[in-house]
Amino acid sequence: MEKFRAFVIDKQEDKIQSEIKPLSLTDLPEGDVTIKVAYSSINYKDGLATLPKSIVRNYPMVPGIDLAGTVVESSNESFKKGDEVIVTSYELGISHFGGFSEYARVPAEWVVPLPEGLTIKEAMILGTAGFTAALSILRLEENGLTPKNGKVLVTGATGGVGSIAVDILSKKGYEVAASSGKKSEHGYLKQLGAKEILSREEVTSDDGKPLRKQLFAAAVDPVGGKTLEYLLSATKYGGSVAVSGLTGGAEVAASVYPFILRGINLLGIDSVYCPMEKRLTVWERLASDMKPANLDKGIVNEVSLEEIPSIVEKILNGEVRGRTLVKM
């Protein structure tokens, strides 16, 4: 093989520059498994990687925290040429060349075999967002959530995590409320299974109240900030909030009252270093009983490497609906 294409970012003084650049296999970092990438996806974290004050640890870098494709070479006996695989999270796209490339090389311990029941494309429609949504729901159920407990709120519902969480919860028989700042997307959220739509303002704490009317049995929250403050105050006795993101801010002004008077649980969801045993379980569930019902119905936008900069800007501005795939 001579050359292949990759989306590469570099930092010059205080500015990030990006280009589609020809690379060779010798340019790839060390790893046990070399993969011909079929799809990657664009996440909020990928947007953060393109900012001057970035989460990227070294430059130049190929961003992309997700990828799915076919093994072309492996020095690890767990994988062989022709295997279809998924790689998400760990250091991918942050300190190790990621998925915005026609080829990638990664450590074998980051690699998940594509489970039966998913295609490579479906795996990337899910990606880190779908994995995070499913992990959030599993953690909620491990802490006692069932459909009979009552309404479940999903915040940031038009984003990747939120869209897939609404879909999975609805499929599993939950009554789902979805919050969004986009009035134009109410039809989309109802298509995914939401029974009630709340505005962003309705689920944002602006008065500092530690306790409110008990409205939700649980919540999936990829937003954080003042939205998380609201959720803590409005969750029912014994309920749980699974928080996985900070698009609404990293600072949370919390009171102990919801925890000691209502016994609620605040569950932190980490999709980056989630142990492989749990990771495999989540992917198996995503390929079976937790596979969303609407993977091919309006949730997906497919783009090329050249279109990444424009999509990244929209993601950072909260203007993207559902999931965006990068097709190699």
Side-chain angles (χ1 to χ4, degrees):
M1 180 191 303
E2 295 183 359
K3 295 285 185 179
F4 58 88
R5 300 191 316 146
F7 178 83
V8 182
I9 60 174
D10 204 353
K11 190 172 186 179
Q12 303 294 334
E13 295 181 353
D14 292 328
K15 293 184 178 180
I16 297 291
Q17 298 177 336
S18 65
E19 62 177 323
I20 308 298
K21 191 174 179 179
L23 300 180
S24 64
L25 290 180
T26 56
D27 294 317
L28 295 177
E30 292 183 1
D32 310 296
V33 184
T34 304
I35 301 163
K36 187 179 191 304
V37 180
Y39 291 95
S40 183
S41 67
I42 306 179
N43 300 274
Y44 185 75
K45 195 171 180 179
D46 297 314
L48 295 178
T50 66
L51 298 176
K53 291 185 178 180
S54 178
I55 59 174
V56 170
R57 297 187 187 135
N58 47 272
Y59 295 93
M61 179 56 59
V62 175
I65 64 170
D66 291 346
L67 67 86
T70 305
V71 174
V72 294
E73 185 179 347
S74 175
S75 60
N76 185 288
E77 62 182 14
S78 297
F79 301 97
K80 64 183 185 302
K81 185 176 180 180
D83 286 349
E84 294 180 321
V85 295
I86 308 164
V87 186
T88 64
S89 306
Y90 296 101
E91 298 299 316
L92 199 69
I94 304 301
S95 64
H96 188 102
F97 280 14
F100 296 166
S101 173
E102 293 176 333
Y103 285 83
R105 185 181 293 129
V106 299
E109 56 265 28
W110 295 1
V111 182
V112 171
L114 183 73
E116 186 176 349
L118 284 181
T119 66
I120 286 178
K121 183 175 181 178
E122 287 173 337
M124 276 300 95
I125 294 174
L126 293 166
T128 289
F131 180 85
T132 303
L135 182 58
S136 298
I137 294 165
L138 284 174
R139 289 289 309 280
L140 290 172
E141 292 184 334
E142 288 168 357
N143 281 270
L145 180 66
T146 67
K148 69 180 182 180
N149 291 12
K151 190 183 304 181
V152 179
L153 176 63
V154 178
T155 65
T158 59
V161 175
S163 293
I164 296 172
V166 169
D167 193 317
I168 295 174
L169 285 164
S170 176
K171 180 183 177 181
K172 287 174 67 66
Y174 287 93
E175 179 186 355
V176 183
S179 73
S180 172
K182 303 171 186 174
K183 292 182 180 179
S184 61
E185 302 292 2
H186 288 195
Y188 165 74
L189 292 173
K190 289 180 179 178
Q191 177 185 328
L192 294 180
K195 299 300 183 185
E196 180 182 358
I197 314 294
L198 302 174
S199 70
R200 181 183 297 154
E201 291 73 24
E202 288 179 276
V203 297
T204 300
S205 172
D206 57 5
D207 56 15
K209 286 185 178 179
L211 295 172
R212 303 172 195 273
K213 185 177 179 181
Q214 299 181 51
L215 298 174
F216 310 108
V220 175
D221 180 35
V223 176
K226 290 193 174 296
T227 296
L228 179 55
E229 292 177 25
Y230 171 85
L231 294 174
L232 295 176
S233 69
T235 298
K236 289 182 178 181
Y237 188 94
S240 302
V241 178
V243 60
S244 61
L246 46 67
T247 58
E251 300 298 323
V252 178
S255 162
V256 299
Y257 289 123
F259 304 102
I260 64 175
L261 297 181
R262 291 182 179 170
I264 71 165
N265 306 295
L266 177 58
L267 309 176
I269 304 301
D270 169 41
S271 61
V272 179
Y273 298 111
C274 177
M276 182 54 75
E277 182 179 2
K278 185 78 167 183
R279 189 177 294 270
L280 292 171
T281 297
V282 174
W283 277 110
E284 289 294 338
R285 295 287 300 275
L286 279 167
S288 54
D289 65 304
M290 293 182 77
K291 185 176 182 178
N294 295 283
L295 277 178
D296 59 349
K297 297 178 182 177
I299 195 173
V300 184
N301 179 35
E302 195 171 297
V303 301
S304 65
L305 285 173
E306 286 80 7
E307 295 172 275
I308 289 173
S310 63
I311 300 299
V312 159
E313 184 176 353
K314 289 180 180 178
I315 277 186
L316 290 172
N317 291 330
E319 298 170 358
V320 171
R321 179 178 83 177
R323 297 284 287 144
T324 300
L325 297 192
V326 182
K327 181 180 169 76
M328 301 303 159

